[in-house]
Amino acid sequence: MKKLFCCMAIMLAMLPTQAVTAVLSDTEKRMVEFIDATNPAALELLVDSVNINSGTMNLAGVREVGELFGTEFAALEFEVEWLDGSGFERAGHLLARYRGNEAQVKVLLIGHLDTVFEPDSPFQTFTRVDDDNATGPGIADMKGGNVIMLRALAALREVGALEQLDVTVVLTGDEELSGSPLALSKQALVEAATDADIAIGFENGDGDYRTANVARRGSSGWTLETTGTPAHSSQVFREDIGSGAIYEAARILHGFHEDDTLRGEQFLTFNPGRIAGGTTLHNNDADNTTSAFGKNNVVAESARVEGDIRALSAEQLARAQARMAAIVADNLPGTRAGISFDEGYPPMAPGAGNLRLLTLFSQVSEDLGFGEVTAVNPLRAGAADISFAADHVEMAIDGLGMSGTEGHTVDETGYLPALPLQAKRAAVLLHRLAGGQR
C-alpha cells in the first residue's frame, strides 16, 4: 500500500510544473462571492432532490430527479436531453451540453441520479441533525455532488467564464445497480468521454473533502458452481461417490483465502457474498437470491457461490482471475467445478494525467484557503462511473462531491459546509483549466 503512494509522490515530483496564481483573480473572487450568496438556494435544491425517492429500480423516481436537475441545467442554457433506459432495463440518463463560443478545452462532468434506497426503505427524507450535518438518502452519494456541480457551473456563467468551456454532463440513472447489457448502460458515458479532454466526477470519494480520487479499483462479479454425486450421507468419501458439491465449494473458497499470490497482491480483494448448496438450487438474478433444498443425510449435488473481485488495473484483474480458475480446476474426488466472471466496472489506474489534475486541484484548494488535497487510498473507495471514462481522457479525477459518512446505510450523513466549499473549488478548477492550465 505504501509503495503505490510513494510512487504517486515520485510521479508528482517528476511532472512538469506550471505557474499557478498564488492568489485568486478578480474573476475567481466573484465566483466565490456568488457561491456564498446562492448557498441557501443550493441547500434548498439539495433538500428537494433528497426527498424524492430515486432508488435505482424506482424508475419513475429516478426520472423525477432527472427532471429536477434537468430544469436547473436548462436555466444555465445547457441543452438537456433524457436518454431512455428501457434498452438496459433502467430509467435512463440525463445528458446536458454547453458549447462555449471561446472553448479551448472539453470537459466531461459525471454524476448519478439513483440511490441504493428503494421505496420500501425506512430511510426516505432529509433531516437536519445540526448546523453542519444532515441525514438523508443519497445526500452524500450523490445528490450533494450533483448540486455542487451545478453551483460551480452557475458561478462560471455568472462571471461570463462558461463561454470558455465545452461541457458535457452525464448524470446516470443506474450507478448503484447497473443495467444490462452493461455496454448499452454505459454507452453515453463512454461516448462523452471519447470526445472529452478531461473527466471530473462528483462522487463523494472517501467522504473527506481533503481528499480526491486519482485511482479507483474496478469491480466485477464471479460465480462459482460445483456439482457432486448425490448419495446417502453415510457413503460420502466413498471412491465412487466422492466429497459432494458443498465440500468442493468449501475447498475452493479456502483455496482463494489461503493463496499467497491472491492474498498477497496489493489492492486486490475478492469476496464471496452469497452461497447456497444442497440437492437442488433455484437462482434468481433479478432479486439476488438463491434458494436450496437438501437434507442433512444426503450428499450435496449442487452448490453455488457469487462474489466480487476488485483490482487496480486490468493486468491485476487478469492475473487474479487466472489464479482463481486454477484453484477451481483442482477438483475433489467425485466433483466438478467451474467459475465464470462478468465484465463489471473497469479500474481507474493512477496515471500521470490524473496526478497532474490532483496537483492543480490541490493548488486551487490552497489558494482558496482550504488546504492541501491528497489522493484517496484506493482501498477506501468503491467503483464509480468515472472508471468508464478515465481511459478515454488525458486527465481524470473523482471525489469532488459532498463530504459525508455512513454511505449506503440508513445513517447516511452529509457535511453541509462542503456544499459551498466544494463548489468553489470546482468552479476555480474549471476556470483555470479553461484558461489553459494543464
PDB file of all heavy atoms in Angstrom, residues 3 8 22 25 58 81 105-107 128 141 165 195 197-198 208 216 225 257 270 274 305 307 348 353 355 369 382 387:
ATOM      1  N   LYS A   3       3.764   1.464  -1.027  1.00  0.00           N
ATOM      2  CA  LYS A   3       4.529   1.502  -2.261  1.00  0.00           C
ATOM      3  C   LYS A   3       3.837   2.352  -3.324  1.00  0.00           C
ATOM      4  O   LYS A   3       4.460   3.177  -3.991  1.00  0.00           O
ATOM      5  CB  LYS A   3       4.722   0.073  -2.781  1.00  0.00           C
ATOM      6  CG  LYS A   3       5.792  -0.051  -3.829  1.00  0.00           C
ATOM      7  CD  LYS A   3       5.931  -1.506  -4.258  1.00  0.00           C
ATOM      8  CE  LYS A   3       6.437  -2.372  -3.133  1.00  0.00           C
ATOM      9  NZ  LYS A   3       6.604  -3.771  -3.534  1.00  0.00           N
ATOM     10  N   MET A   8       3.233   7.498  -6.320  1.00  0.00           N
ATOM     11  CA  MET A   8       2.446   8.681  -6.656  1.00  0.00           C
ATOM     12  C   MET A   8       3.241   9.943  -6.346  1.00  0.00           C
ATOM     13  O   MET A   8       3.278  10.897  -7.137  1.00  0.00           O
ATOM     14  CB  MET A   8       1.140   8.699  -5.864  1.00  0.00           C
ATOM     15  CG  MET A   8       0.073   7.762  -6.374  1.00  0.00           C
ATOM     16  SD  MET A   8      -1.445   8.022  -5.430  1.00  0.00           S
ATOM     17  CE  MET A   8      -2.548   6.911  -6.302  1.00  0.00           C
ATOM     18  N   ALA A  22      -1.001  32.627  -7.275  1.00  0.00           N
ATOM     19  CA  ALA A  22      -0.818  32.469  -5.838  1.00  0.00           C
ATOM     20  C   ALA A  22      -2.044  32.941  -5.068  1.00  0.00           C
ATOM     21  O   ALA A  22      -2.331  32.467  -3.982  1.00  0.00           O
ATOM     22  CB  ALA A  22       0.420  33.231  -5.386  1.00  0.00           C
ATOM     23  N   SER A  25      -7.836  35.387  -8.671  1.00  0.00           N
ATOM     24  CA  SER A  25      -8.057  36.511  -9.580  1.00  0.00           C
ATOM     25  C   SER A  25      -9.370  37.196  -9.216  1.00  0.00           C
ATOM     26  O   SER A  25     -10.187  36.653  -8.449  1.00  0.00           O
ATOM     27  CB  SER A  25      -8.113  36.013 -11.021  1.00  0.00           C
ATOM     28  OG  SER A  25      -9.288  35.234 -11.220  1.00  0.00           O
ATOM     29  N   ASN A  58     -36.648   2.274  -8.803  1.00  0.00           N
ATOM     30  CA  ASN A  58     -37.813   3.161  -8.823  1.00  0.00           C
ATOM     31  C   ASN A  58     -37.658   4.060 -10.042  1.00  0.00           C
ATOM     32  O   ASN A  58     -37.227   5.216  -9.945  1.00  0.00           O
ATOM     33  CB  ASN A  58     -37.880   3.981  -7.528  1.00  0.00           C
ATOM     34  CG  ASN A  58     -39.066   4.938  -7.519  1.00  0.00           C
ATOM     35  OD1 ASN A  58     -39.944   4.885  -8.382  1.00  0.00           O
ATOM     36  ND2 ASN A  58     -39.090   5.836  -6.546  1.00  0.00           N
ATOM     37  N   GLU A  81     -31.118  16.666 -22.467  1.00  0.00           N
ATOM     38  CA  GLU A  81     -31.743  15.518 -23.137  1.00  0.00           C
ATOM     39  C   GLU A  81     -31.874  14.371 -22.142  1.00  0.00           C
ATOM     40  O   GLU A  81     -30.965  14.114 -21.354  1.00  0.00           O
ATOM     41  CB  GLU A  81     -30.877  15.098 -24.321  1.00  0.00           C
ATOM     42  CG  GLU A  81     -31.399  13.930 -25.115  1.00  0.00           C
ATOM     43  CD  GLU A  81     -30.477  13.522 -26.255  1.00  0.00           C
ATOM     44  OE1 GLU A  81     -29.403  14.150 -26.413  1.00  0.00           O
ATOM     45  OE2 GLU A  81     -30.819  12.555 -26.964  1.00  0.00           O
ATOM     46  N   VAL A 105     -11.086  23.803 -24.270  1.00  0.00           N
ATOM     47  CA  VAL A 105     -10.948  22.527 -23.572  1.00  0.00           C
ATOM     48  C   VAL A 105     -12.320  21.883 -23.443  1.00  0.00           C
ATOM     49  O   VAL A 105     -13.323  22.569 -23.230  1.00  0.00           O
ATOM     50  CB  VAL A 105     -10.297  22.729 -22.182  1.00  0.00           C
ATOM     51  CG1 VAL A 105     -11.131  23.637 -21.303  1.00  0.00           C
ATOM     52  CG2 VAL A 105     -10.059  21.397 -21.470  1.00  0.00           C
ATOM     53  N   LYS A 106     -12.367  20.560 -23.598  1.00  0.00           N
ATOM     54  CA  LYS A 106     -13.613  19.800 -23.485  1.00  0.00           C
ATOM     55  C   LYS A 106     -13.609  19.028 -22.168  1.00  0.00           C
ATOM     56  O   LYS A 106     -12.695  18.236 -21.913  1.00  0.00           O
ATOM     57  CB  LYS A 106     -13.755  18.827 -24.656  1.00  0.00           C
ATOM     58  CG  LYS A 106     -13.917  19.515 -26.006  1.00  0.00           C
ATOM     59  CD  LYS A 106     -14.098  18.488 -27.114  1.00  0.00           C
ATOM     60  CE  LYS A 106     -14.341  19.152 -28.461  1.00  0.00           C
ATOM     61  NZ  LYS A 106     -14.544  18.160 -29.546  1.00  0.00           N
ATOM     62  N   VAL A 107     -14.633  19.294 -21.370  1.00  0.00           N
ATOM     63  CA  VAL A 107     -14.706  18.700 -20.039  1.00  0.00           C
ATOM     64  C   VAL A 107     -15.961  17.855 -19.910  1.00  0.00           C
ATOM     65  O   VAL A 107     -17.050  18.269 -20.328  1.00  0.00           O
ATOM     66  CB  VAL A 107     -14.713  19.801 -18.952  1.00  0.00           C
ATOM     67  CG1 VAL A 107     -14.782  19.172 -17.563  1.00  0.00           C
ATOM     68  CG2 VAL A 107     -13.480  20.677 -19.059  1.00  0.00           C
ATOM     69  N   ARG A 128     -32.321  17.505   9.242  1.00  0.00           N
ATOM     70  CA  ARG A 128     -31.214  18.305   9.759  1.00  0.00           C
ATOM     71  C   ARG A 128     -30.809  17.763  11.127  1.00  0.00           C
ATOM     72  O   ARG A 128     -31.646  17.608  12.017  1.00  0.00           O
ATOM     73  CB  ARG A 128     -31.667  19.764   9.869  1.00  0.00           C
ATOM     74  CG  ARG A 128     -30.549  20.776  10.064  1.00  0.00           C
ATOM     75  CD  ARG A 128     -29.842  21.039   8.752  1.00  0.00           C
ATOM     76  NE  ARG A 128     -28.817  22.050   8.880  1.00  0.00           N
ATOM     77  CZ  ARG A 128     -28.823  23.203   8.227  1.00  0.00           C
ATOM     78  NH1 ARG A 128     -29.814  23.498   7.405  1.00  0.00           N
ATOM     79  NH2 ARG A 128     -27.838  24.059   8.353  1.00  0.00           N
ATOM     80  N   ASP A 141     -24.129  10.537  -1.421  1.00  0.00           N
ATOM     81  CA  ASP A 141     -23.912   9.619  -2.552  1.00  0.00           C
ATOM     82  C   ASP A 141     -25.164   9.539  -3.409  1.00  0.00           C
ATOM     83  O   ASP A 141     -25.947   8.617  -3.255  1.00  0.00           O
ATOM     84  CB  ASP A 141     -23.522   8.247  -2.006  1.00  0.00           C
ATOM     85  CG  ASP A 141     -23.132   7.273  -3.100  1.00  0.00           C
ATOM     86  OD1 ASP A 141     -22.930   7.713  -4.246  1.00  0.00           O
ATOM     87  OD2 ASP A 141     -23.053   6.072  -2.808  1.00  0.00           O
ATOM     88  N   LEU A 165     -15.589  27.145 -21.974  1.00  0.00           N
ATOM     89  CA  LEU A 165     -15.621  25.698 -21.782  1.00  0.00           C
ATOM     90  C   LEU A 165     -16.590  25.017 -22.733  1.00  0.00           C
ATOM     91  O   LEU A 165     -17.645  25.557 -23.063  1.00  0.00           O
ATOM     92  CB  LEU A 165     -16.033  25.361 -20.343  1.00  0.00           C
ATOM     93  CG  LEU A 165     -14.997  25.578 -19.247  1.00  0.00           C
ATOM     94  CD1 LEU A 165     -15.652  25.481 -17.879  1.00  0.00           C
ATOM     95  CD2 LEU A 165     -13.867  24.552 -19.360  1.00  0.00           C
ATOM     96  N   ASP A 195     -15.004  12.045 -26.512  1.00  0.00           N
ATOM     97  CA  ASP A 195     -14.967  13.380 -27.107  1.00  0.00           C
ATOM     98  C   ASP A 195     -14.429  14.432 -26.138  1.00  0.00           C
ATOM     99  O   ASP A 195     -14.428  15.619 -26.452  1.00  0.00           O
ATOM    100  CB  ASP A 195     -16.387  13.771 -27.552  1.00  0.00           C
ATOM    101  CG  ASP A 195     -16.405  15.026 -28.415  1.00  0.00           C
ATOM    102  OD1 ASP A 195     -15.561  15.114 -29.336  1.00  0.00           O
ATOM    103  OD2 ASP A 195     -17.228  15.922 -28.146  1.00  0.00           O
ATOM    104  N   ASP A 197     -11.486  15.992 -23.126  1.00  0.00           N
ATOM    105  CA  ASP A 197     -10.079  16.047 -22.746  1.00  0.00           C
ATOM    106  C   ASP A 197      -9.897  15.671 -21.274  1.00  0.00           C
ATOM    107  O   ASP A 197      -8.894  15.060 -20.906  1.00  0.00           O
ATOM    108  CB  ASP A 197      -9.528  17.462 -22.947  1.00  0.00           C
ATOM    109  CG  ASP A 197      -9.681  17.965 -24.373  1.00  0.00           C
ATOM    110  OD1 ASP A 197      -9.308  17.219 -25.290  1.00  0.00           O
ATOM    111  OD2 ASP A 197     -10.185  19.089 -24.553  1.00  0.00           O
ATOM    112  N   ILE A 198     -10.869  16.070 -20.450  1.00  0.00           N
ATOM    113  CA  ILE A 198     -10.761  15.922 -19.002  1.00  0.00           C
ATOM    114  C   ILE A 198     -12.087  15.403 -18.468  1.00  0.00           C
ATOM    115  O   ILE A 198     -13.157  15.840 -18.919  1.00  0.00           O
ATOM    116  CB  ILE A 198     -10.437  17.280 -18.332  1.00  0.00           C
ATOM    117  CG1 ILE A 198      -9.080  17.810 -18.833  1.00  0.00           C
ATOM    118  CG2 ILE A 198     -10.435  17.167 -16.808  1.00  0.00           C
ATOM    119  CD1 ILE A 198      -8.818  19.248 -18.457  1.00  0.00           C
ATOM    120  N   ASP A 208     -14.236  12.552   2.602  1.00  0.00           N
ATOM    121  CA  ASP A 208     -13.403  13.578   3.231  1.00  0.00           C
ATOM    122  C   ASP A 208     -13.074  14.640   2.183  1.00  0.00           C
ATOM    123  O   ASP A 208     -12.460  14.333   1.155  1.00  0.00           O
ATOM    124  CB  ASP A 208     -12.130  12.938   3.773  1.00  0.00           C
ATOM    125  CG  ASP A 208     -11.276  13.889   4.603  1.00  0.00           C
ATOM    126  OD1 ASP A 208     -11.462  15.121   4.502  1.00  0.00           O
ATOM    127  OD2 ASP A 208     -10.410  13.393   5.346  1.00  0.00           O
ATOM    128  N   ARG A 216      -9.305   4.378  -8.887  1.00  0.00           N
ATOM    129  CA  ARG A 216     -10.400   3.586  -8.311  1.00  0.00           C
ATOM    130  C   ARG A 216     -10.229   2.151  -8.775  1.00  0.00           C
ATOM    131  O   ARG A 216      -9.883   1.893  -9.934  1.00  0.00           O
ATOM    132  CB  ARG A 216     -11.763   4.109  -8.771  1.00  0.00           C
ATOM    133  CG  ARG A 216     -12.253   5.339  -8.008  1.00  0.00           C
ATOM    134  CD  ARG A 216     -13.676   5.654  -8.399  1.00  0.00           C
ATOM    135  NE  ARG A 216     -14.265   6.787  -7.713  1.00  0.00           N
ATOM    136  CZ  ARG A 216     -14.865   6.738  -6.532  1.00  0.00           C
ATOM    137  NH1 ARG A 216     -14.962   5.579  -5.907  1.00  0.00           N
ATOM    138  NH2 ARG A 216     -15.373   7.817  -5.985  1.00  0.00           N
ATOM    139  N   GLU A 225     -19.780 -22.528  -9.493  1.00  0.00           N
ATOM    140  CA  GLU A 225     -20.785 -23.593  -9.445  1.00  0.00           C
ATOM    141  C   GLU A 225     -20.074 -24.931  -9.323  1.00  0.00           C
ATOM    142  O   GLU A 225     -19.155 -25.225 -10.088  1.00  0.00           O
ATOM    143  CB  GLU A 225     -21.668 -23.557 -10.691  1.00  0.00           C
ATOM    144  CG  GLU A 225     -22.523 -22.295 -10.770  1.00  0.00           C
ATOM    145  CD  GLU A 225     -23.422 -22.264 -11.981  1.00  0.00           C
ATOM    146  OE1 GLU A 225     -22.881 -22.103 -13.092  1.00  0.00           O
ATOM    147  OE2 GLU A 225     -24.645 -22.400 -11.820  1.00  0.00           O
ATOM    148  N   HIS A 257      -8.820 -18.076  -0.144  1.00  0.00           N
ATOM    149  CA  HIS A 257      -8.482 -17.350   1.079  1.00  0.00           C
ATOM    150  C   HIS A 257      -7.024 -17.528   1.468  1.00  0.00           C
ATOM    151  O   HIS A 257      -6.381 -16.577   1.961  1.00  0.00           O
ATOM    152  CB  HIS A 257      -9.389 -17.828   2.224  1.00  0.00           C
ATOM    153  CG  HIS A 257      -9.298 -17.026   3.469  1.00  0.00           C
ATOM    154  ND1 HIS A 257      -8.345 -17.283   4.454  1.00  0.00           N
ATOM    155  CD2 HIS A 257     -10.025 -15.961   3.904  1.00  0.00           C
ATOM    156  CE1 HIS A 257      -8.502 -16.413   5.440  1.00  0.00           C
ATOM    157  NE2 HIS A 257      -9.511 -15.598   5.136  1.00  0.00           N
ATOM    158  N   PHE A 270     -11.173 -10.007  -3.000  1.00  0.00           N
ATOM    159  CA  PHE A 270     -12.146 -10.895  -3.622  1.00  0.00           C
ATOM    160  C   PHE A 270     -13.033 -11.417  -2.500  1.00  0.00           C
ATOM    161  O   PHE A 270     -12.541 -11.896  -1.482  1.00  0.00           O
ATOM    162  CB  PHE A 270     -11.452 -12.037  -4.384  1.00  0.00           C
ATOM    163  CG  PHE A 270     -10.262 -12.597  -3.668  1.00  0.00           C
ATOM    164  CD1 PHE A 270     -10.395 -13.695  -2.826  1.00  0.00           C
ATOM    165  CD2 PHE A 270      -9.024 -11.998  -3.797  1.00  0.00           C
ATOM    166  CE1 PHE A 270      -9.300 -14.191  -2.137  1.00  0.00           C
ATOM    167  CE2 PHE A 270      -7.918 -12.492  -3.101  1.00  0.00           C
ATOM    168  CZ  PHE A 270      -8.061 -13.596  -2.272  1.00  0.00           C
ATOM    169  N   ARG A 274     -22.546 -14.496  -1.474  1.00  0.00           N
ATOM    170  CA  ARG A 274     -23.734 -15.345  -1.314  1.00  0.00           C
ATOM    171  C   ARG A 274     -23.367 -16.789  -1.644  1.00  0.00           C
ATOM    172  O   ARG A 274     -22.643 -17.049  -2.604  1.00  0.00           O
ATOM    173  CB  ARG A 274     -24.860 -14.859  -2.247  1.00  0.00           C
ATOM    174  CG  ARG A 274     -26.169 -15.606  -2.044  1.00  0.00           C
ATOM    175  CD  ARG A 274     -27.333 -14.904  -2.750  1.00  0.00           C
ATOM    176  NE  ARG A 274     -27.467 -15.231  -4.145  1.00  0.00           N
ATOM    177  CZ  ARG A 274     -27.240 -14.381  -5.140  1.00  0.00           C
ATOM    178  NH1 ARG A 274     -26.838 -13.152  -4.881  1.00  0.00           N
ATOM    179  NH2 ARG A 274     -27.409 -14.737  -6.394  1.00  0.00           N
ATOM    180  N   VAL A 305     -21.823 -20.165  -5.479  1.00  0.00           N
ATOM    181  CA  VAL A 305     -21.280 -19.033  -4.724  1.00  0.00           C
ATOM    182  C   VAL A 305     -21.165 -17.852  -5.681  1.00  0.00           C
ATOM    183  O   VAL A 305     -20.690 -18.005  -6.813  1.00  0.00           O
ATOM    184  CB  VAL A 305     -19.884 -19.338  -4.136  1.00  0.00           C
ATOM    185  CG1 VAL A 305     -19.434 -18.205  -3.228  1.00  0.00           C
ATOM    186  CG2 VAL A 305     -19.869 -20.668  -3.401  1.00  0.00           C
ATOM    187  N   GLY A 307     -19.748 -13.747  -5.879  1.00  0.00           N
ATOM    188  CA  GLY A 307     -18.921 -12.765  -5.191  1.00  0.00           C
ATOM    189  C   GLY A 307     -18.411 -11.708  -6.134  1.00  0.00           C
ATOM    190  O   GLY A 307     -18.799 -11.647  -7.301  1.00  0.00           O
ATOM    191  N   MET A 348      -9.748   2.360 -12.635  1.00  0.00           N
ATOM    192  CA  MET A 348      -9.212   3.673 -12.999  1.00  0.00           C
ATOM    193  C   MET A 348      -7.807   3.731 -12.408  1.00  0.00           C
ATOM    194  O   MET A 348      -7.639   3.913 -11.205  1.00  0.00           O
ATOM    195  CB  MET A 348     -10.099   4.777 -12.430  1.00  0.00           C
ATOM    196  CG  MET A 348      -9.560   6.186 -12.557  1.00  0.00           C
ATOM    197  SD  MET A 348     -10.652   7.349 -11.666  1.00  0.00           S
ATOM    198  CE  MET A 348      -9.732   8.888 -11.794  1.00  0.00           C
ATOM    199  N   GLY A 353      -1.567  11.870 -15.883  1.00  0.00           N
ATOM    200  CA  GLY A 353      -2.526  12.948 -16.100  1.00  0.00           C
ATOM    201  C   GLY A 353      -3.428  13.151 -14.902  1.00  0.00           C
ATOM    202  O   GLY A 353      -3.730  14.294 -14.519  1.00  0.00           O
ATOM    203  N   LEU A 355      -2.720  12.438 -11.809  1.00  0.00           N
ATOM    204  CA  LEU A 355      -1.916  13.010 -10.731  1.00  0.00           C
ATOM    205  C   LEU A 355      -1.670  14.509 -10.957  1.00  0.00           C
ATOM    206  O   LEU A 355      -1.667  15.300 -10.012  1.00  0.00           O
ATOM    207  CB  LEU A 355      -0.598  12.255 -10.615  1.00  0.00           C
ATOM    208  CG  LEU A 355      -0.736  10.791 -10.176  1.00  0.00           C
ATOM    209  CD1 LEU A 355       0.572  10.054 -10.385  1.00  0.00           C
ATOM    210  CD2 LEU A 355      -1.170  10.699  -8.736  1.00  0.00           C
ATOM    211  N   GLY A 369      -7.787  28.790   0.528  1.00  0.00           N
ATOM    212  CA  GLY A 369      -7.625  28.727   1.967  1.00  0.00           C
ATOM    213  C   GLY A 369      -8.162  27.460   2.599  1.00  0.00           C
ATOM    214  O   GLY A 369      -8.318  27.384   3.824  1.00  0.00           O
ATOM    215  N   GLY A 382     -15.092   2.733  -3.405  1.00  0.00           N
ATOM    216  CA  GLY A 382     -15.588   1.701  -4.304  1.00  0.00           C
ATOM    217  C   GLY A 382     -15.468   2.099  -5.767  1.00  0.00           C
ATOM    218  O   GLY A 382     -14.856   3.107  -6.116  1.00  0.00           O
ATOM    219  N   SER A 387     -14.783   5.467 -13.925  1.00  0.00           N
ATOM    220  CA  SER A 387     -13.877   4.438 -14.441  1.00  0.00           C
ATOM    221  C   SER A 387     -14.141   4.116 -15.909  1.00  0.00           C
ATOM    222  O   SER A 387     -13.234   3.699 -16.625  1.00  0.00           O
ATOM    223  CB  SER A 387     -13.990   3.174 -13.585  1.00  0.00           C
ATOM    224  OG  SER A 387     -13.530   3.405 -12.273  1.00  0.00           O
TER     225      SER A 387
END
